[in-house]
Amino acid sequence: MPIAMLLHGDGVRPDGATGGFDATTTICHRYTPPDQLRIFLATADIVVVAAGIPGLITGDMIKPGCAIIDVGINRITNPETGKPKLVGDCHFESCVEKAGFITPVPGGVGPMTVAMLMKNTVLAAKKLATSS
């Protein structure tokens, strides 16, 4: 929801800062009927998926060249080894050939989230130290 609101925002803020990107956004969820999901995905330039369903989005559902940000982290059993394996909500192997950009799972948005949390913690500490 936060990324949808950021993308949808009109970009007009009283302080002159960037507030949004005027994008048309559509929010689907795990209960969106598959045929409707296919319709939305066929025209989407950016797909942010965080439904908690391994392999929900497949290559035949997406628009060629779209950007996929896979936020989903699902633990499944690897059928070859019987060991646990982390996968996203996109079926990576079928989407990687068709998408213009795609974040891997693991190793995609997680490290960026940690990096931004660390950056904000350091900025907050500096701000606190200079205000005393």
Side-chain angles (χ1 to χ4, degrees):
M1 185 63 79
I3 191 76
M5 297 307 293
L6 176 65
L7 292 171
H8 175 74
D10 65 6
V12 178
R13 287 182 36 183
D15 61 3
T18 301
F21 299 102
D22 292 327
T24 300
T25 59
T26 303
I27 301 171
C28 300
H29 53 77
R30 65 177 65 217
Y31 301 114
T32 300
D35 57 330
Q36 290 297 307
L37 188 58
R38 285 181 179 278
I39 291 169
F40 294 129
L41 289 169
T43 60
D45 294 317
I46 302 170
V47 177
V48 180
V49 59
I53 300 175
L56 175 66
I57 309 299
T58 57
D60 62 328
M61 301 169 86
I62 62 172
K63 177 181 174 179
C66 73
I68 300 175
I69 303 168
D70 193 345
V71 184
I73 298 176
N74 306 286
R75 188 178 309 271
I76 64 168
T77 302
N78 186 332
E80 297 169 9
T81 64
K83 294 183 180 181
K85 171 183 174 182
L86 291 179
V87 297
D89 290 347
C90 286
H91 184 265
F92 189 85
E93 291 76 18
S94 66
C95 290
V96 72
E97 296 296 322
K98 196 169 179 184
F101 304 93
I102 187 169
T103 58
V105 175
V109 297
M112 181 52 75
T113 301
V114 171
M116 295 310 298
L117 285 171
M118 293 301 296
K119 177 183 176 184
N120 289 334
T121 301
V122 170
L123 290 174
K126 285 181 180 179
K127 193 173 196 177
L128 183 64
T130 59
S131 68
S132 300

